[in-house]
Coordinates of all heavy atoms in Angstrom, one line a residue:
M14 N 54.6 64.9 51.4 CA 54.6 66.3 52.0 C 55.9 66.6 52.5 O 56.5 67.7 52.3 CB 53.5 66.3 53.0 CG 53.1 67.8 53.4 SD 52.5 68.7 51.9 CE 52.8 70.4 52.5
K15 N 56.5 65.7 53.3 CA 57.8 66.0 54.0 C 58.8 66.2 52.9 O 59.7 67.0 53.0 CB 58.1 64.8 54.9 CG 59.2 65.2 55.9 CD 59.4 64.0 56.9 CE 60.5 64.4 57.8 NZ 60.9 63.3 58.7
T16 N 58.7 65.3 51.8 CA 59.7 65.4 50.7 C 59.6 66.8 50.1 O 60.7 67.4 49.8 CB 59.4 64.4 49.6 OG1 59.1 63.2 50.3 CG2 60.6 64.2 48.7
L17 N 58.4 67.3 49.9 CA 58.2 68.6 49.3 C 58.9 69.7 50.2 O 59.6 70.6 49.7 CB 56.7 68.9 49.2 CG 56.4 70.2 48.5 CD1 56.8 70.2 47.0 CD2 54.9 70.5 48.6
V18 N 58.7 69.6 51.5 CA 59.3 70.6 52.4 C 60.8 70.6 52.3 O 61.5 71.6 52.2 CB 58.8 70.3 53.9 CG1 59.6 71.2 54.8 CG2 57.3 70.6 54.0
I19 N 61.3 69.4 52.3 CA 62.8 69.2 52.1 C 63.3 69.8 50.8 O 64.3 70.5 50.7 CB 63.2 67.7 52.3 CG1 63.0 67.3 53.8 CG2 64.7 67.5 51.9 CD1 63.0 65.8 54.0
A20 N 62.5 69.5 49.8 CA 62.9 70.0 48.4 C 62.9 71.5 48.4 O 63.8 72.1 47.8 CB 61.9 69.4 47.4
I21 N 62.0 72.1 49.0 CA 61.9 73.6 49.1 C 63.1 74.1 49.9 O 63.7 75.1 49.5 CB 60.5 74.1 49.6 CG1 59.4 73.7 48.6 CG2 60.6 75.5 50.0 CD1 58.0 73.9 49.2
A22 N 63.4 73.5 51.0 CA 64.5 73.9 51.8 C 65.8 73.8 51.0 O 66.6 74.7 51.1 CB 64.6 73.1 53.1
V23 N 66.0 72.7 50.3 CA 67.2 72.6 49.5 C 67.3 73.7 48.4 O 68.3 74.3 48.2 CB 67.3 71.2 48.9 CG1 68.4 71.1 47.8 CG2 67.5 70.1 49.9
L24 N 66.2 73.9 47.8 CA 66.1 75.0 46.8 C 66.5 76.3 47.3 O 67.2 77.1 46.7 CB 64.7 75.0 46.1 CG 64.4 74.1 45.0 CD1 63.0 74.2 44.5 CD2 65.4 74.3 43.8
A25 N 65.9 76.6 48.5 CA 66.2 77.9 49.2 C 67.7 78.0 49.4 O 68.3 79.1 49.3 CB 65.4 78.0 50.5
L26 N 68.3 76.9 49.9 CA 69.8 76.9 50.2 C 70.6 77.2 48.9 O 71.6 77.9 48.9 CB 70.2 75.6 50.8 CG 69.9 75.5 52.3 CD1 70.2 74.1 52.8 CD2 70.6 76.5 53.1
L27 N 70.1 76.5 47.8 CA 70.8 76.7 46.5 C 70.6 78.1 46.0 O 71.5 78.6 45.3 CB 70.3 75.6 45.5 CG 70.7 74.2 45.8 CD1 70.0 73.3 44.8 CD2 72.2 74.0 45.7
A28 N 69.5 78.7 46.2 CA 69.2 80.0 45.7 C 69.9 81.1 46.4 O 70.2 82.1 45.9 CB 67.7 80.2 45.7
A29 N 70.2 80.8 47.7 CA 70.8 81.9 48.5 C 72.1 82.4 48.0 O 72.2 83.6 47.9 CB 71.0 81.3 50.0
P30 N 73.1 81.6 47.6 CA 74.3 82.1 47.1 C 74.2 83.0 45.9 O 74.8 84.0 45.7 CB 75.2 80.9 46.8 CG 74.6 79.8 47.6 CD 73.1 80.1 47.6
A31 N 73.2 82.5 45.0 CA 73.0 83.3 43.8 C 72.5 84.7 44.1 O 72.9 85.7 43.5 CB 72.0 82.6 42.9
A32 N 71.5 84.7 45.1 CA 71.0 86.0 45.5 C 72.1 86.9 46.1 O 72.1 88.1 46.0 CB 69.8 85.8 46.4
A33 N 72.9 86.2 46.9 CA 74.0 86.9 47.6 C 74.9 87.7 46.7 O 75.4 88.7 47.1 CB 74.8 85.9 48.5
D34 N 75.2 87.1 45.6 CA 76.1 87.9 44.7 C 75.4 88.7 43.7 O 75.9 89.4 42.9 CB 77.3 87.1 44.1 CG 76.8 85.9 43.4 OD1 76.3 86.0 42.2 OD2 76.9 84.8 43.9
Q35 N 74.1 88.5 43.7 CA 73.2 89.4 42.8 C 73.2 90.8 43.3 O 73.4 91.7 42.5 CB 71.8 88.8 42.8 CG 70.8 89.6 42.0 CD 70.6 89.2 40.6 OE1 71.4 89.7 39.7 NE2 69.7 88.4 40.3
C36 N 73.0 91.0 44.6 CA 72.8 92.4 45.1 C 73.9 93.3 44.7 O 73.7 94.4 44.2 CB 72.6 92.4 46.6 SG 71.6 91.1 47.2
P37 N 75.2 92.9 45.0 CA 76.3 93.9 44.7 C 76.3 94.3 43.2 O 76.6 95.5 42.8 CB 77.6 93.2 45.0 CG 77.1 92.1 46.0 CD 75.7 91.7 45.6
L38 N 75.9 93.4 42.3 CA 75.8 93.7 40.9 C 74.8 94.7 40.6 O 75.0 95.6 39.8 CB 75.6 92.4 40.1 CG 76.7 91.3 40.1 CD1 76.2 90.1 39.4 CD2 77.9 91.9 39.4
L39 N 73.6 94.5 41.2 CA 72.5 95.5 41.0 C 72.9 96.8 41.6 O 72.7 97.9 41.0 CB 71.2 95.0 41.7 CG 70.7 93.6 41.2 CD1 69.4 93.2 41.9 CD2 70.5 93.6 39.7
I40 N 73.5 96.8 42.8 CA 73.9 98.1 43.4 C 74.9 98.8 42.6 O 74.8 100.0 42.4 CB 74.4 97.8 44.9 CG1 73.3 97.3 45.7 CG2 75.1 99.0 45.5 CD1 73.7 96.6 47.0
K41 N 75.8 98.1 42.0 CA 76.8 98.7 41.1 C 76.2 99.3 39.9 O 76.6 100.4 39.5 CB 77.9 97.6 40.7 CG 79.1 98.2 40.0 CD 80.0 97.2 39.5 CE 81.2 97.8 38.8 NZ 80.9 98.7 37.7
Q42 N 75.2 98.6 39.3 CA 74.5 99.2 38.1 C 73.9 100.5 38.5 O 73.9 101.5 37.7 CB 73.4 98.2 37.7 CG 74.0 97.0 36.9 CD 72.9 96.0 36.6 OE1 71.9 96.4 36.0 NE2 73.1 94.8 37.0
I43 N 73.3 100.6 39.7 CA 72.6 101.9 40.1 C 73.7 103.0 40.2 O 73.5 104.1 39.7 CB 71.9 101.7 41.4 CG1 70.7 100.7 41.2 CG2 71.3 103.0 41.9 CD1 70.3 99.9 42.4
N44 N 74.7 102.7 41.0 CA 75.8 103.7 41.2 C 76.4 104.1 39.9 O 76.7 105.3 39.8 CB 76.8 103.2 42.3 CG 76.2 103.2 43.7 OD1 75.4 104.0 44.0 ND2 76.6 102.2 44.5
D45 N 76.7 103.2 39.0 CA 77.3 103.6 37.7 C 76.4 104.5 36.9 O 76.8 105.4 36.3 CB 77.6 102.3 36.9 CG 78.8 101.5 37.5 OD1 79.5 102.1 38.4 OD2 79.1 100.4 37.0
A46 N 75.1 104.1 37.0 CA 74.1 104.9 36.2 C 74.0 106.3 36.8 O 73.9 107.3 36.0 CB 72.7 104.2 36.3
V47 N 74.1 106.4 38.1 CA 74.0 107.8 38.7 C 75.3 108.5 38.3 O 75.2 109.7 38.0 CB 73.8 107.7 40.3 CG1 74.0 109.0 40.9 CG2 72.5 107.0 40.6
D48 N 76.4 107.9 38.4 CA 77.7 108.5 38.0 C 77.6 109.0 36.6 O 78.2 110.1 36.2 CB 78.9 107.5 38.0 CG 79.2 107.1 39.5 OD1 78.8 107.9 40.4 OD2 79.9 106.1 39.7
N49 N 76.9 108.3 35.7 CA 76.9 108.7 34.3 C 75.8 109.7 34.0 O 75.7 110.2 32.8 CB 76.6 107.5 33.4 CG 77.8 106.5 33.4 OD1 79.0 107.0 33.6 ND2 77.6 105.3 33.3
R50 N 75.0 110.1 34.9 CA 74.0 111.1 34.7 C 74.6 112.5 34.5 O 75.7 112.7 35.2 CB 73.0 111.2 35.8 CG 72.0 110.0 35.8 CD 71.2 110.0 37.1 NE 70.2 111.0 37.2 CZ 69.0 110.9 36.8 NH1 68.6 109.7 36.3 NH2 68.1 111.8 37.0
L51 N 74.1 113.3 33.7 CA 74.6 114.6 33.5 C 74.6 115.4 34.8 O 75.6 116.0 35.2 CB 73.8 115.4 32.4 CG 74.1 114.9 31.0 CD1 73.2 115.6 30.0 CD2 75.6 115.1 30.6
A52 N 73.5 115.4 35.4 CA 73.3 116.1 36.7 C 73.2 115.0 37.8 O 72.2 114.6 38.2 CB 72.1 117.0 36.8
A53 N 74.4 114.5 38.2 CA 74.4 113.3 39.1 C 73.8 113.7 40.5 O 73.3 112.8 41.1 CB 75.8 112.8 39.3
E54 N 73.9 114.9 40.8 CA 73.4 115.2 42.2 C 71.9 115.8 42.1 O 71.5 116.5 43.0 CB 74.3 116.2 42.9 CG 75.7 115.6 43.1 CD 75.7 114.1 43.6 OE1 74.9 113.8 44.5 OE2 76.5 113.3 43.1
D55 N 71.2 115.4 41.1 CA 69.8 115.8 41.1 C 69.0 115.0 42.1 O 69.6 114.0 42.7 CB 69.2 115.8 39.7 CG 69.2 114.4 39.1 OD1 69.7 113.4 39.8 OD2 68.7 114.2 38.0
T56 N 67.7 115.3 42.3 CA 66.9 114.6 43.3 C 66.9 113.1 43.1 O 67.1 112.3 44.0 CB 65.5 115.2 43.4 OG1 65.6 116.6 43.3 CG2 64.8 114.8 44.7
A57 N 66.5 112.7 41.8 CA 66.4 111.3 41.5 C 67.7 110.6 41.7 O 67.7 109.5 42.3 CB 65.9 111.1 40.1
G58 N 68.8 111.2 41.3 CA 70.1 110.6 41.5 C 70.5 110.4 43.0 O 70.9 109.3 43.3
S59 N 70.2 111.4 43.8 CA 70.5 111.2 45.2 C 69.6 110.2 45.9 O 70.0 109.5 46.8 CB 70.6 112.5 46.0 OG 69.5 113.3 45.7
T60 N 68.3 110.2 45.4 CA 67.4 109.2 46.0 C 67.9 107.8 45.6 O 67.9 106.9 46.5 CB 66.0 109.3 45.3 OG1 65.5 110.6 45.6 CG2 65.0 108.3 45.9
A61 N 68.3 107.6 44.4 CA 68.8 106.3 43.9 C 70.0 105.9 44.7 O 70.2 104.7 45.1 CB 69.1 106.3 42.4
R62 N 70.9 106.8 44.9 CA 72.1 106.5 45.7 C 71.8 106.1 47.2 O 72.4 105.2 47.7 CB 73.1 107.7 45.7 CG 74.3 107.5 44.8 CD 75.4 108.4 45.2 NE 75.9 109.1 44.1 CZ 76.7 108.6 43.1 NH1 77.0 107.4 43.1 NH2 77.1 109.4 42.1
K63 N 70.9 106.8 47.7 CA 70.5 106.6 49.1 C 69.9 105.2 49.2 O 70.2 104.4 50.1 CB 69.4 107.6 49.6 CG 69.0 107.5 51.0 CD 68.1 108.6 51.4 CE 67.0 108.2 52.3 NZ 65.8 107.7 51.7
L64 N 69.0 104.8 48.2 CA 68.4 103.5 48.2 C 69.4 102.4 48.0 O 69.3 101.3 48.5 CB 67.2 103.5 47.2 CG 66.0 104.3 47.5 CD1 65.1 104.4 46.3 CD2 65.2 103.7 48.7
A65 N 70.4 102.7 47.1 CA 71.4 101.7 46.8 C 72.3 101.5 48.1 O 72.7 100.3 48.3 CB 72.3 102.2 45.7
K66 N 72.5 102.5 48.9 CA 73.2 102.3 50.1 C 72.4 101.5 51.1 O 73.0 100.6 51.8 CB 73.5 103.7 50.7 CG 74.9 103.9 51.3 CD 75.2 105.3 51.7 CE 76.2 105.9 50.9 NZ 76.4 107.4 51.1
E67 N 71.1 101.7 51.1 CA 70.3 100.9 52.0 C 70.3 99.4 51.5 O 70.3 98.5 52.3 CB 68.8 101.4 52.0 CG 68.7 102.7 52.7 CD 67.3 103.4 52.6 OE1 66.3 102.6 52.4 OE2 67.2 104.6 52.7
A68 N 70.3 99.3 50.2 CA 70.3 97.9 49.6 C 71.6 97.2 50.0 O 71.6 96.0 50.4 CB 70.2 98.0 48.1
E69 N 72.7 98.0 50.0 CA 74.0 97.4 50.4 C 74.0 97.0 51.9 O 74.5 95.9 52.2 CB 75.1 98.5 50.2 CG 76.4 97.8 50.0 CD 77.5 98.9 49.6 OE1 77.2 100.0 49.4 OE2 78.7 98.5 49.6
A70 N 73.4 97.8 52.7 CA 73.3 97.5 54.1 C 72.5 96.2 54.4 O 72.9 95.3 55.1 CB 72.7 98.7 54.9
L71 N 71.4 96.1 53.6 CA 70.5 94.9 53.8 C 71.3 93.7 53.3 O 71.2 92.6 53.9 CB 69.2 95.1 52.9 CG 68.2 96.1 53.5 CD1 67.2 96.4 52.4 CD2 67.5 95.5 54.7
H72 N 72.0 93.9 52.2 CA 72.8 92.8 51.6 C 73.8 92.3 52.7 O 74.0 91.1 52.9 CB 73.5 93.2 50.4 CG 74.6 92.3 49.9 ND1 74.4 91.1 49.4 CD2 76.0 92.5 50.0 CE1 75.6 90.5 49.1 NE2 76.6 91.4 49.5
K73 N 74.5 93.2 53.3 CA 75.5 92.9 54.4 C 74.9 92.2 55.6 O 75.5 91.4 56.2 CB 76.3 94.1 54.8 CG 77.3 94.5 53.8 CD 78.1 95.7 54.2 CE 79.1 96.1 53.0 NZ 79.4 97.5 53.1
E74 N 73.6 92.5 55.8 CA 72.9 91.8 56.9 C 72.4 90.4 56.4 O 71.7 89.7 57.2 CB 71.7 92.6 57.4 CG 72.1 93.9 58.1 CD 70.9 94.8 58.3 OE1 69.7 94.3 58.4 OE2 71.1 96.0 58.4
G75 N 72.6 90.1 55.2 CA 72.2 88.8 54.7 C 70.7 88.8 54.2 O 70.2 87.8 53.9
K76 N 70.1 90.0 54.2 CA 68.7 90.1 53.7 C 68.7 90.4 52.2 O 68.4 91.5 51.8 CB 68.0 91.2 54.5 CG 67.9 91.0 56.0 CD 67.3 92.2 56.7 CE 67.3 91.9 58.2 NZ 67.1 93.2 58.9
H77 N 69.1 89.4 51.4 CA 69.3 89.6 50.0 C 68.0 89.9 49.2 O 68.0 90.7 48.3 CB 70.0 88.4 49.4 CG 71.3 88.1 50.1 ND1 72.3 89.0 50.1 CD2 71.7 87.1 50.9 CE1 73.3 88.5 50.9 NE2 72.9 87.3 51.4
A78 N 66.9 89.2 49.6 CA 65.6 89.5 48.9 C 65.2 90.9 49.1 O 64.8 91.6 48.2 CB 64.6 88.5 49.4
E79 N 65.4 91.4 50.3 CA 65.0 92.8 50.6 C 66.0 93.8 49.9 O 65.6 94.9 49.5 CB 65.0 93.1 52.2 CG 63.8 92.4 52.9 CD 64.0 92.5 54.4 OE1 64.2 93.6 54.9 OE2 63.9 91.4 55.0
A80 N 67.2 93.4 49.9 CA 68.2 94.2 49.2 C 67.9 94.4 47.7 O 68.0 95.5 47.2 CB 69.6 93.6 49.4
I81 N 67.5 93.3 47.1 CA 67.1 93.3 45.7 C 65.9 94.2 45.5 O 65.9 95.0 44.5 CB 66.9 91.9 45.1 CG1 68.3 91.1 45.1 CG2 66.3 91.9 43.8 CD1 68.2 89.6 44.8
Q82 N 65.0 94.1 46.4 CA 63.8 94.9 46.3 C 64.2 96.4 46.4 O 63.7 97.2 45.6 CB 62.9 94.5 47.5 CG 61.4 94.5 47.1 CD 60.6 93.8 48.2 OE1 61.0 93.9 49.4 NE2 59.5 93.2 47.9
K83 N 65.1 96.7 47.3 CA 65.5 98.1 47.5 C 66.3 98.5 46.2 O 66.1 99.7 45.8 CB 66.4 98.1 48.7 CG 66.7 99.4 49.4 CD 65.4 100.1 49.8 CE 65.1 99.8 51.3 NZ 64.0 100.7 51.8
A84 N 67.1 97.7 45.7 CA 67.8 98.0 44.4 C 66.8 98.3 43.3 O 67.1 99.2 42.5 CB 68.8 96.9 44.1
E85 N 65.8 97.6 43.2 CA 64.8 97.8 42.2 C 64.1 99.1 42.4 O 63.8 99.8 41.4 CB 63.7 96.6 42.2 CG 64.3 95.4 41.5 CD 63.4 94.2 41.6 OE1 62.5 94.2 42.5 OE2 63.7 93.2 40.9
E86 N 63.9 99.5 43.6 CA 63.3 100.8 44.0 C 64.2 101.9 43.5 O 63.8 102.9 43.0 CB 63.1 100.8 45.5 CG 61.9 101.6 46.0 CD 61.8 101.5 47.5 OE1 61.7 100.4 48.0 OE2 61.8 102.6 48.1
A87 N 65.5 101.7 43.8 CA 66.5 102.7 43.4 C 66.6 102.9 41.9 O 66.6 104.0 41.4 CB 67.9 102.3 44.0
A88 N 66.5 101.7 41.2 CA 66.6 101.8 39.7 C 65.4 102.5 39.2 O 65.5 103.3 38.2 CB 66.7 100.3 39.2
K89 N 64.3 102.3 39.8 CA 63.0 103.0 39.4 C 63.1 104.5 39.5 O 62.7 105.2 38.6 CB 61.9 102.5 40.2 CG 60.6 102.2 39.5 CD 59.7 101.4 40.4 CE 58.2 101.6 40.0 NZ 57.3 101.0 41.0
A90 N 63.8 104.9 40.5 CA 63.9 106.4 40.7 C 64.7 107.1 39.6 O 64.4 108.2 39.2 CB 64.7 106.6 42.0
I91 N 65.6 106.3 38.9 CA 66.3 106.9 37.8 C 66.0 106.2 36.5 O 66.7 106.3 35.5 CB 67.9 106.8 38.1 CG1 68.3 105.4 38.5 CG2 68.3 107.9 39.1 CD1 69.8 105.2 38.5
R92 N 64.8 105.5 36.5 CA 64.3 104.8 35.3 C 65.4 103.9 34.7 O 65.6 103.9 33.5 CB 63.8 105.8 34.3 CG 62.6 106.6 34.8 CD 62.0 107.3 33.6 NE 60.9 108.2 34.1 CZ 61.1 109.4 34.5 NH1 62.3 110.0 34.5 NH2 60.0 110.2 34.9
L93 N 66.1 103.2 35.5 CA 67.1 102.3 35.0 C 66.6 100.9 35.0 O 65.9 100.5 35.9 CB 68.4 102.4 36.0 CG 69.4 101.3 35.8 CD1 70.3 101.6 34.6 CD2 70.3 101.3 37.0
K94 N 66.9 100.2 33.9 CA 66.5 98.8 33.9 C 67.7 97.9 34.3 O 68.7 97.9 33.7 CB 66.1 98.4 32.4 CG 65.5 97.0 32.3 CD 64.5 96.9 31.3 CE 63.8 95.5 31.2 NZ 64.0 94.6 32.3
L95 N 67.5 97.2 35.5 CA 68.5 96.4 36.0 C 68.7 95.1 35.2 O 67.7 94.5 34.8 CB 68.3 96.1 37.5 CG 68.3 97.2 38.5 CD1 67.9 96.8 39.8 CD2 69.7 97.8 38.6
Q96 N 69.9 94.7 35.0 CA 70.2 93.5 34.4 C 70.4 92.4 35.4 O 71.4 92.4 36.2 CB 71.5 93.6 33.5 CG 71.5 94.7 32.5 CD 70.5 94.6 31.4 OE1 70.3 93.5 30.9 NE2 69.8 95.6 31.1
M97 N 69.4 91.5 35.5 CA 69.5 90.4 36.5 C 70.4 89.3 35.8 O 70.3 89.1 34.6 CB 68.1 89.8 36.7 CG 67.2 90.8 37.3 SD 67.5 91.2 39.0 CE 66.2 92.4 39.4
K98 N 71.2 88.6 36.7 CA 72.0 87.6 36.1 C 71.3 86.3 36.1 O 70.4 86.0 36.8 CB 73.3 87.5 36.8 CG 74.0 87.3 37.6 CD 75.2 86.8 38.1 CE 74.8 86.0 39.3 NZ 75.9 85.3 39.9
Ligands
CU114 CU1 72.8 90.2 48.8

């Protein structure tokens, strides 16, 4: 049991850096997609940008899982499929 707990902790540590550089990539995809929209300042576009900004803030606070969730929400607003690495 103890071994399992340690194994999970090690996995979490290994997963953290991957998640940490995942968020900016997702946020960039959203902002690029909004930039490429014909009417970039439409409602969906500004919603996506707002959510991407929130994702960035969460990422900076080290809350990567929440940042990714926020990025996914942003992508959904503009029907963008995010490329996970
Ligand atoms: Cu992050």
Side-chain angles (χ1 to χ4, degrees):
M14 195 59 202
K15 199 174 177 186
T16 317
L17 182 66
V18 171
I19 291 166
I21 290 167
V23 169
L24 275 177
L26 282 174
L27 289 174
D34 55 76
Q35 173 92 276
C36 320
L38 291 173
L39 300 182
I40 292 162
K41 189 181 180 308
Q42 285 173 51
I43 294 153
N44 287 325
D45 287 351
V47 174
D48 288 343
N49 291 332
R50 282 168 76 91
L51 287 176
E54 298 315 317
D55 63 357
T56 317
S59 49
T60 300
R62 253 202 233 285
K63 185 178 143 265
L64 290 168
K66 221 173 246 171
E67 288 174 26
E69 201 174 356
L71 287 165
H72 165 71
K73 282 179 182 156
E74 288 168 32
K76 298 173 181 165
H77 305 296
E79 286 170 57
I81 290 169
Q82 219 168 29
K83 199 60 93 173
E85 281 170 348
E86 214 179 302
K89 219 166 156 189
I91 50 170
R92 296 194 185 87
L93 169 74
K94 186 147 180 16
L95 291 174
Q96 305 296 316
M97 301 285 179
K98 69 140 225 172

